[in-house]
Amino acid sequence: MYNFELNNDTKIIFGKEGRKKIGKVLYPFGSRVLLVYGGNSIKEIGLFKELVDTLIQNKISIVEFSGIKSNPTCSMVNKGAELCREKSVDVILAVGGGSVIDTAKAISVANYYEGPFEDILEKKTIISDAIPLIAISTISGSGSEMNCSCVITNERLKKKCGFNSDLIRPKYAFLDPELTYSVNSYQTACGSADILSHILDTTYMVNGSKLQMLKGVMESVSRTIIKYTPIAMNDPTNYEARANLMLASTWGLNGFLKNGIKQLAACHAIEHELSAQFNIIHGAGMAIVMPAYYEYVLSEENECIYAEFCKNVFGDNSPNVSDAARIMIDKLKYFFFEELKLPSKLSDLGVTSFDTASAAYNICWGKDLPGLVNLSIKDVDNILKNIM
């Protein structure tokens, strides 16, 4: 078993009525809030006006910072931090999906550093403080609303880089499934692929022992994704489906399931290079990478992990472990590409050619890529060629 510590002090407010409390929750943190969001979607569903009215009623002034897109960049973080300093912001309210919440997290620490956020990502400086952050999720997928991580694209290095600190963990997370009703079928599918990737790539498909109780939760979250994603895609206002996906998203990557696992999330390392280069939606990229990766690294030494997932999640009772392992990959492909209608190749996303050897070198940082098995730069290059 692994040794680990767990402390997650994000307070979850779940359900339809929760956001009525936003003013009272924000007020103790200060009277000036940076409202971070993406485009017009929160205005189209009426959430923007509702929030503005609530904040004004609670005598909280609003500084808007919008335009956050998928795969957020350091330049946006730097702009947001500059705005925070200029307007003396007390608290940040992030309203959106993972990109918005990650941007807000980065801004919260960048506010206290006069240099560019790139220095923080590249570990050239140590941060010691952060503006308090409140999150309102409008899409299920990233799990960023209850964890201490963010991923930002460093334009200078042309790489997506992760940053972790307890300082950036949201103080509160408002989870209202109704706010995800307007998420279209494709974005719903991408979000669910993202959730499943957190289970498979970071906690389940790993070497070594796993606590049985936590493994059972991993399998339960995975079954939830497989059951409810098609329902939400076909019936967007199905509250049960949206609620289950939202909770699965939060618990899929809040640290609870990690239980001290140190293995690198290799599929994420590969996908981050692709989305940094081609601005691919993360969930779509993960759906492409994962089946190809698991097919490539399958061996007699690890096939039992595949077989367990096949039996306990997909419900296949093949007695032969080798057969079950390959069936698991086939079922994963079917779920992503047939049920969720996600792209199966990079060419489906308009990426017809690129320097795979150079990309593989970047992914591996010039060394082997650890994971379920250790892969050479050439191995990673082969995987990239396989998904073209």
Side-chain angles (χ1 to χ4, degrees):
M1 298 297 177
Y2 297 94
N3 299 314
F4 64 93
E5 297 179 8
L6 177 64
N7 177 32
N8 192 322
D9 57 1
T10 299
K11 183 172 182 177
I12 294 293
I13 299 177
F14 191 94
K16 302 177 182 181
E17 302 298 319
R19 65 182 186 272
K20 293 180 180 178
K21 303 176 182 178
I22 189 67
K24 292 181 179 179
V25 165
L26 273 170
Y27 187 76
F29 293 102
S31 61
R32 191 177 294 269
V33 60
L34 182 74
L35 177 57
V36 183
Y37 62 98
N40 289 323
S41 60
I42 70 167
K43 295 181 178 180
E44 292 169 354
I45 64 175
L47 179 59
F48 180 83
K49 184 180 186 304
E50 180 183 331
L51 290 174
V52 169
D53 290 346
T54 299
L55 296 176
I56 290 174
Q57 288 170 11
N58 284 270
K59 299 180 180 180
I60 298 172
S61 60
I62 302 163
V63 179
E64 286 188 52
F65 187 63
S66 62
I68 311 303
K69 302 183 185 302
S70 296
N71 303 310
T73 61
C74 288
S75 60
M76 285 298 287
V77 173
N78 290 327
K79 289 178 183 177
E82 183 179 352
L83 187 60
C84 283
R85 290 189 289 267
E86 177 188 335
K87 301 294 185 180
S88 300
V89 165
D90 301 309
V91 58
I92 299 175
L93 177 60
V95 185
S99 295
V100 169
I101 300 173
D102 280 8
T103 301
K105 287 177 172 180
I107 290 171
S108 74
V109 293
N111 172 75
Y112 290 97
Y113 179 63
E114 292 295 334
F117 180 69
E118 287 86 336
D119 290 351
I120 297 175
L121 270 189
E122 296 171 35
K123 298 179 173 58
K124 294 179 180 178
T125 186
I126 298 174
I127 55 97
S128 58
D129 206 351
I131 301 175
L133 170 66
I134 313 295
I136 299 179
S137 290
T138 60
I139 184 170
S140 303
S142 75
S144 187
E145 64 275 2
M146 199 185 183
N147 67 38
C148 60
S149 304
C150 67
V151 179
I152 305 293
T153 298
N154 186 326
E155 298 107 310
R156 183 179 63 80
L157 298 179
K158 294 183 179 180
K159 289 189 73 70
K160 287 179 73 170
C161 303
F163 171 71
N164 304 298
S165 171
D166 280 328
L167 291 170
I168 63 175
R169 193 187 301 276
K171 303 299 183 184
Y172 289 81
F174 288 80
L175 306 179
D176 181 352
E178 289 187 335
L179 295 180
T180 66
Y181 283 177
S182 63
V183 179
N184 65 37
S185 179
Y186 182 69
Q187 290 285 355
T188 298
C190 288
S192 290
D194 193 7
I195 303 169
L196 194 56
S197 79
H198 296 152
I199 302 300
L200 288 171
D201 197 30
T202 69
T203 62
Y204 197 94
M205 300 293 287
V206 298
N207 295 305
S209 60
K210 292 184 283 286
L211 290 165
Q212 184 63 32
M213 184 274 285
L214 293 180
K215 186 171 80 70
V217 177
M218 297 173 203
E219 292 166 349
S220 177
V221 173
S222 300
R223 289 193 298 269
T224 297
I225 299 305
I226 291 166
K227 175 180 178 179
Y228 284 106
T229 304
I231 295 173
M233 291 171 66
N234 293 320
D235 181 9
T237 60
N238 185 303
Y239 187 86
E240 180 184 354
R242 292 296 193 181
N244 273 278
L245 292 178
M246 180 163 264
L247 207 57
S249 172
T250 300
W251 285 91
L253 198 65
N254 67 1
F256 174 68
L257 298 177
K258 192 72 173 174
N259 61 86
I261 292 170
K262 302 299 182 183
Q263 181 175 299
L264 177 74
C267 293
H268 277 76
I270 295 170
E271 196 287 326
H272 283 172
E273 174 69 17
L274 299 175
S275 54
Q277 284 201 37
F278 306 112
N279 200 31
I280 294 169
I281 294 174
H282 178 61
M286 290 304 299
I288 293 171
V289 170
M290 283 195 294
Y293 173 85
Y294 291 127
E295 201 161 32
Y296 194 90
V297 302
L298 175 61
S299 69
E300 289 184 2
E301 287 72 28
N302 60 35
E303 61 184 8
C304 60
I305 307 173
Y306 293 67
E308 270 198 302
F309 193 85
C310 188
K311 176 182 178 181
N312 297 333
V313 175
F314 287 118
D316 185 271
N317 291 310
S318 300
N320 184 281
V321 172
S322 296
D323 290 344
R326 297 198 173 277
I327 290 170
M328 179 269 188
I329 297 171
D330 289 340
K331 286 186 175 291
L332 190 63
K333 288 180 179 179
Y334 182 84
F335 177 65
F336 284 152
F337 309 143
E338 301 300 326
E339 289 196 72
L340 303 195
K341 309 298 182 185
L342 289 169
S344 62
K345 298 285 185 181
L346 290 175
S347 56
D348 295 336
L349 297 173
V351 180
T352 55
S353 65
F354 72 105
D355 187 347
T356 57
S358 176
Y361 184 89
N362 291 337
I363 291 165
C364 297
W365 294 91
K367 305 175 183 179
D368 283 355
L369 180 71
L372 196 54
V373 302
N374 279 355
L375 296 179
S376 68
I377 296 173
K378 182 60 179 176
D379 287 323
V380 176
D381 184 30
N382 288 338
I383 292 173
L384 293 176
K385 285 184 168 66
N386 289 342
I387 62 176
M388 285 298 296

